[in-house]
Amino acid sequence: MHPNPQRTLTTIALAGALFAAGAQAGEREALVKRGAQLVAEGDCITCHTPFKMGPGGPEKDVARGLSGHPEELRLPAPPKLEPAWNWAGSATMTAFVGPWGTSYAANLTPDRETGIGAWREKDFIQAMRTGKHMGVARPIMPPMPWEAVGQRSDKDLRAMFAYLMSQPAVKNRVPDYAPPAAAAGKNPS
């Protein structure tokens, strides 16, 4: 039997492609693993995963991991704030009120309609660097520590994004940010 040069070249090309795909998958896995570590260190889960009442008290609702403030949870008017106590958080740890208004933890899952599934990596990096949604929209409000997250290297931010995009998508439309009541109630002159 004589070797077929065309078949040999095809086999070599296929082996090369499989090796490259395996290497890319390994790099992707390492990137996601690093992202998981960074998200854990940044404690992103505490604000972006709702808490629920469990047998031992409040616990993270892991079925809703990183999905932000539950859309079905309508909160009453926030408490009156005084200078000594000028911000408060909801029992779910996903809604916050302060001098900035009322902010809700965003859905960081890859759901394309209600999460960050339609974002590109560069949108995420720009948002963390500028403090604006997708890097160009409204400001990201407190208590989100985008300034600290934005100090991370591009490699770290890419890893965080890869991890977030590897999570299960959860459909959950988070309420819109609400400006401070004093500002919202003012009449334009």
Side-chain angles (χ1 to χ4, degrees), residues 145-166:
W146 65 266
E147 298 95 340
V149 176
Q151 296 297 312
R152 294 275 185 188
S153 68
D154 282 355
K155 184 177 179 180
D156 280 352
L157 292 174
R158 282 194 300 275
M160 292 173 79
F161 184 73
Y163 171 75
L164 294 172
M165 296 303 280
S166 75

Side-chain angles (χ1 to χ4, degrees), residues 7-25:
R7 179 178 283 162
T8 302
L9 288 175
T10 302
T11 302
I12 291 170
L14 180 59
L18 290 173
F19 177 79
Q24 285 178 339

Side-chain angles (χ1 to χ4, degrees), residues 97-124:
V97 64
W100 64 87
T102 303
S103 53
Y104 301 91
N107 182 346
L108 298 182
T109 74
D111 184 70
R112 292 190 62 77
E113 290 178 44
T114 65
I116 62 169
W119 287 38
R120 298 168 298 178
E121 181 181 85
K122 75 177 203 170
D123 298 327
F124 179 78

Side-chain angles (χ1 to χ4, degrees), residues 114-137:
T114 65
I116 62 169
W119 287 38
R120 298 168 298 178
E121 181 181 85
K122 75 177 203 170
D123 298 327
F124 179 78
I125 292 171
Q126 191 171 357
M128 294 303 101
R129 296 265 191 257
T130 65
K132 296 192 179 287
H133 281 266
M134 295 187 82
V136 296

